[in-house]
Amino acid sequence: MNLLIDIGNTRIKFGYALASGERCHAHTVALTPDELDQFIPWLNQHHLQPKRALLISVAKAEVEQRILQLLQDIACPVIWLNSAQPCAILRNGYDQPNQLGTDRWLALIGVLMQHQALARPIVHASFGTATTVDTLCSATSTETALFKGGLILPGPQLMYEALATKTAKLGQGPGALLDFPTHTRAAISTGIAAAQAGAVLRQWQLALELDLGVPLLVCSGGGWELVHTEIEQAYLQRQQQLQLRPEKLLYQPTPVLDGLAYMATQY
């Protein structure tokens, strides 16, 4: 049995997978660094006895060390993964693969695993501390799927915080999303959501213009709640403008853990 650990900037996500790579989705928890004392009780509550742990991290060294100590306490061996790690189903198209964020790489593997049977390009938008919008070209008869490249921009919450800390009187807190905002909170919230949607639709349309099929749009990340209304509406409008059959975007809660579950089958 495999313990899956995604050590992020604000939360640590824990998951569990069978040796076959099948995720046990009921066995998923997200903890802040201050809540790590709940980790062992969580294992005990679900009667989980991991034989090894697969980890990725974008967090500070002290957070990593706390988690490694917890794993040492339960005698659980550790396998660290990074973006230079080869994957049997996906090629890394970054100029220098080891410079790609490990969380992005594992998330892309997880997204591809969920949807590769559709044999379509995929645009994955992840709304975390940063927003990333990445494009996958589907596999062909001669080549595996390819990560073609993507964008990085400040995430929704980071945009709010930047305006709150770098301006004198805008303050904090979300407002309503309106077509023509007439008060400051709505103007900020609508502007942030529109900026995020614009980045996503830019990449989706560029992927469409590759003429490899209509791309599937998959979203994830904790900032999704702040922007989902704008992005869902804008996505539908763009499909209508292009006279495509309307299709809803998909939300995938834990793509990094899904990617770790797949990589567990490679060891």
Side-chain angles (χ1 to χ4, degrees):
M1 301 297 183
N2 299 291
L3 181 64
L4 316 171
I5 308 178
D6 172 14
I7 309 173
N9 286 303
T10 56
R11 295 187 303 167
I12 302 99
K13 299 185 184 74
F14 297 91
Y16 211 68
L18 304 177
S20 63
E22 181 182 354
R23 282 282 308 281
C24 307
H25 289 281
H27 299 155
T28 305
V29 67
L31 303 174
T32 67
D34 292 336
E35 297 171 332
L36 283 173
D37 59 347
Q38 300 177 26
F39 170 65
I40 299 299
W42 173 74
L43 286 179
N44 294 335
Q45 176 188 354
H46 295 286
H47 308 289
L48 302 178
Q49 297 179 321
K51 301 301 182 185
R52 62 183 179 175
L54 282 80
L55 287 77
I56 66 111
S57 175
V58 296
K60 296 178 180 179
E62 54 262 37
V63 177
E64 297 175 356
Q65 288 303 314
R66 289 179 61 192
I67 292 169
L68 290 176
Q69 184 60 56
L70 289 170
L71 297 174
Q72 184 176 328
D73 291 344
I74 60 171
C76 181
V78 173
I79 298 174
W80 284 97
L81 299 181
N82 58 48
S83 55
Q85 204 80 34
C87 176
I89 61 170
L90 182 62
R91 290 175 289 143
N92 189 338
Y94 234 45
D95 291 342
Q96 298 185 50
N98 62 343
Q99 291 188 356
L100 177 66
T102 304
D103 51 344
R104 285 175 75 189
W105 179 235
L106 269 295
L108 289 171
I109 295 171
V111 167
L112 181 61
M113 272 303 300
Q114 294 288 315
H115 307 293
Q116 64 178 337
L118 298 176
R120 294 169 54 182
I122 300 172
V123 173
H124 174 228
S126 175
F127 304 94
T129 304
T131 291
T132 57
V133 190
D134 293 324
T135 297
L136 298 177
C137 297
S138 57
T140 67
S141 59
T142 58
E143 293 186 315
T144 57
L146 170 68
F147 164 52
K148 189 167 182 63
L151 306 182
I152 303 174
L153 61 151
Q157 188 60 45
L158 193 57
M159 286 187 169
Y160 277 108
E161 292 171 2
L163 286 171
T165 58
K166 298 299 183 182
T167 58
K169 297 181 179 180
L170 294 183
Q172 300 189 45
L177 301 186
L178 303 172
D179 288 343
F180 301 98
T182 54
H183 57 90
T184 302
R185 298 316 309 161
I188 291 173
S189 291
T190 304
I192 289 172
Q196 300 282 320
V200 172
L201 291 182
R202 176 189 190 272
Q203 297 308 106
W204 181 84
Q205 185 144 351
L206 286 172
L208 178 67
E209 291 169 1
L210 293 173
D211 201 26
L212 300 174
V214 178
L216 183 70
L217 179 55
V218 180
C219 297
S220 65
W224 174 238
E225 286 301 313
L226 296 172
V227 297
H228 74 93
T229 300
E230 177 75 16
I231 291 175
E232 288 168 346
Q233 292 176 352
Y235 181 50
L236 179 60
Q237 290 170 356
R238 182 63 55 85
Q239 291 177 94
Q240 292 171 338
Q241 291 166 356
L242 296 172
Q243 298 182 332
L244 298 173
R245 180 177 61 84
E247 177 181 61
K248 290 184 177 181
L249 58 81
L250 302 176
Y251 183 79
Q252 189 167 335
T254 53
V256 172
L257 296 182
D258 295 330
L260 287 169
Y262 170 77
M263 292 302 289
T265 68
Q266 306 299 294
Y267 290 90

